[in-house]
Amino acid sequence: MDLSTLTLYFTKYGAIAIFIIVFLEYLNLPGFPAGIIMPLSGVMAARGNIHFFWVMVITVSAGLLGSLLLYALGYKGGEIFLRAYTKRFPKQKEGLEKNIEWVRQKGAVGVFIAKLMPMIRTIVSIPAGVLKMPMRQYLISSTLGIFVWNFVFVGAGYIMGDQVFKLLGAA
């Protein structure tokens, strides 16, 4: 999904588009890069299309819902999924086991830190679910990590405004 398409959706559908696209991005679906989505949401707020506060509420809610879906996937069927995945891709087994062990050792702090790391931030929910991390810990650490990540990127778009388009080569 390119910048002009995202801009069209955000302009035409506003908060609903922001929610859906951020939700899909937090499901780690290809084509929805946070480096474009979040700043663009901030630009929409800077232009007065939506208040910054509501952009944050929407993006954090969408991010948390996407993360909870992946957590549930890990919780309900993660062991089966991981066995099938490592059987099909045996070279990935060691890396997956290290990541799961890291989450096991670090717990909620590990989830929080992972939510601040590109790529890892969206998939850390699956190992947290596989490990049956207590929901309260998972919710708090995920919400805080999602808030910080989104605040930085949405805030950058808000502060930089239309300069974001120039940086992304769309102006």
Side-chain angles (χ1 to χ4, degrees):
M1 188 171 286
D2 65 2
L3 184 61
S4 61
T5 305
L6 282 172
T7 305
L8 174 70
Y9 286 139
F10 280 16
T11 303
K12 188 171 182 179
Y13 301 108
I16 294 169
I18 292 171
F19 183 89
I20 292 170
I21 293 170
V22 171
F23 171 72
L24 293 173
E25 191 271 333
Y26 269 90
L27 287 175
N28 202 31
L29 295 177
F32 298 97
I36 294 174
I37 294 167
M38 300 298 174
L40 184 57
S41 299
V43 170
M44 294 296 140
R47 289 180 174 175
N49 297 30
I50 186 170
H51 194 277
F52 182 81
F53 172 80
W54 291 115
V55 171
M56 288 304 300
V57 168
I58 291 165
T59 61
V60 171
S61 298
L64 190 57
L65 184 61
S67 296
L68 283 169
L69 193 61
L70 291 179
Y71 174 88
L73 175 72
Y75 194 93
K76 295 290 183 186
E79 295 286 341
I80 295 166
F81 170 77
L82 288 176
R83 271 196 301 271
Y85 183 83
T86 56
K87 185 176 181 182
R88 181 159 169 83
F89 304 103
K91 292 180 181 178
Q92 300 286 328
K93 187 175 183 174
E94 185 180 339
L96 280 169
E97 288 173 351
K98 284 181 183 178
N99 288 330
I100 290 171
E101 186 57 34
W102 187 79
V103 172
R104 184 187 327 273
Q105 289 175 3
K106 304 295 182 189
V109 172
V111 170
F112 171 77
I113 291 168
K115 290 289 181 183
L116 304 176
M117 301 168 73
M119 293 175 58
I120 294 170
R121 70 189 184 80
T122 54
I123 60 172
V124 70
S125 301
I126 296 171
V130 168
L131 295 170
K132 312 268 192 267
M133 177 181 278
M135 181 58 74
R136 181 182 171 110
Q137 287 181 359
Y138 178 76
L139 281 173
I140 292 170
S141 59
S142 287
T143 302
L144 290 173
I146 290 167
F147 176 82
V148 170
W149 176 272
N150 292 8
F151 185 79
V152 167
F153 282 90
V154 172
Y158 185 82
I159 291 168
M160 294 173 59
D162 288 329
Q163 293 297 316
V164 168
F165 292 107
K166 290 179 184 168
L167 279 174
L168 296 173

